[in-house]
């Protein structure tokens, strides 16, 4: 199904809510004390490229910048999204604009270009290898 | 467009679309000029079965979403360990439909 404007904002809203509830649960239970949710890790025993992101965001909340980088650098991306997206969504809502949706479409289009896609894929692969070596 | 050509196209590509969409596509193609034939031939449609296999094997990384052209959703899936595993499971059931829907959308753009 094509991601229409309404679906995009609904999906982002749901994703943000789940993200904040998950973070809250981790804060309450303690990072790393929650049940394993990564199917890949459960099935193979090896971490996926984003395993450790929750612990990374958790470390960022406590201003442990280097620890966050060590857990998973993707935590920075997720934390930025969790921080910026609600404000952007609210701003779009108040101004009856769709700037976030347009930005999403623009980024999606840019990422189909090889000059952006290949370095990003290599970065994710490098991060994944690092994740496996760390035993996240 | 010539009815034989249209039927040939439909037979070769029916697996890429939903059953309900086939009649609609056929009717639309019949109204088109022959110039569209070349455009239809080079159109790259995504195989729903391949999407399902990718989804089952490496859906946790969002590769299935990347494959059907949902780059943004693919990144979201990749960054969240496949949506905490739940999205991965859901996609096993809906990815074939999503692939067909994407193909239909591509077709709609190509013939408009």
């Amino acid at each position: 199904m094509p991601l229409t404007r309404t679906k995009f904002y609904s999906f982002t809203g749901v994703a943000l809510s789940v993200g904040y509830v998950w973070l809250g649960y981790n804060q309450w239970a303690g990072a790393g004390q929650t049940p394993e949710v990564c199917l890949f890790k459960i099935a193979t025993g090896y971490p996926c490229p984003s395993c450790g992101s929750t612990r990374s965001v958790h470390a960022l909340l406590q201003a442990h910048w280097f620890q966050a980088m060590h857990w998973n650098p993707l935590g920075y991306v997720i934390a930025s999204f969790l921080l910026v997206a609600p404000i952007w969504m609210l701003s779009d809502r108040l101004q009856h604009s769709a700037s976030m949706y347009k930005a999403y479409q623009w980024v999606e289009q840019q990422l189909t270009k090889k000059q952006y896609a290949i370095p990003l894929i290599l970065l994710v692969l490098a991060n994944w290898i690092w994740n496996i070596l760390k035993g996240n | 467009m010539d009815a034989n050509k249209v039927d040939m196209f439909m037979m070769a590509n029916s697996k890429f679309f939903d059953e309900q969409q086939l009649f609609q596509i056929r009717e639309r193609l019949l109204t088109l000029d022959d110039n569209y034939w070349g455009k239809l031939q080079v159109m790259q449609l995504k195989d729903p079965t391949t999407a399902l296999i990718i989804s089952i094997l490496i859906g946790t990384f969002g590769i299935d979403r990347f494959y059907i052209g949902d780059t943004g959703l693919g990144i979201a899936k990749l960054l969240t360990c496949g949506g905490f595993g739940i999205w991965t499971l859901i996609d096993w059931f809906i990815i074939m439909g999503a692939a067909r829907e994407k193909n239909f959308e591509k077709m709609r753009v190509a013939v408009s």
Side-chain angles (χ1 to χ4, degrees), chain B residues 3 7-8 16 20 23 28 32 35 49 60 66 71 73 78 81 86 88 97 107-108 110-112:
Chain B
D7 286 336
M8 200 166 78
F16 295 115
Q20 298 98 310
F23 180 73
R28 179 78 184 106
L32 287 178
N35 296 336
T49 315
T60 311
F66 287 119
T71 313
L73 292 180
L78 175 70
C81 288
I86 300 166
T88 305
M107 182 83 180
R108 232 167 41 90
V111 300
S112 61

Side-chain angles (χ1 to χ4, degrees), chain A residues 22 37 48 50 78 104 108 111, chain B residues 71-72 75 78-79 81 84 87:
Chain A
W22 177 247
V37 289
C48 80
S50 53
I78 295 169
Y104 169 81
E108 201 173 41
L111 288 176
Chain B
T71 313
I75 292 172
L78 175 70
L79 289 180
C81 288
F84 301 140
W87 190 358

Side-chain angles (χ1 to χ4, degrees), chain B residues 80-101:
Chain B
T80 55
C81 288
F84 301 140
I86 300 166
W87 190 358
T88 305
L89 292 177
I90 294 170
D91 264 355
W92 289 355
F93 296 95
I94 67 167
I95 198 71
M96 288 182 87
R100 289 191 187 109
E101 203 60 48

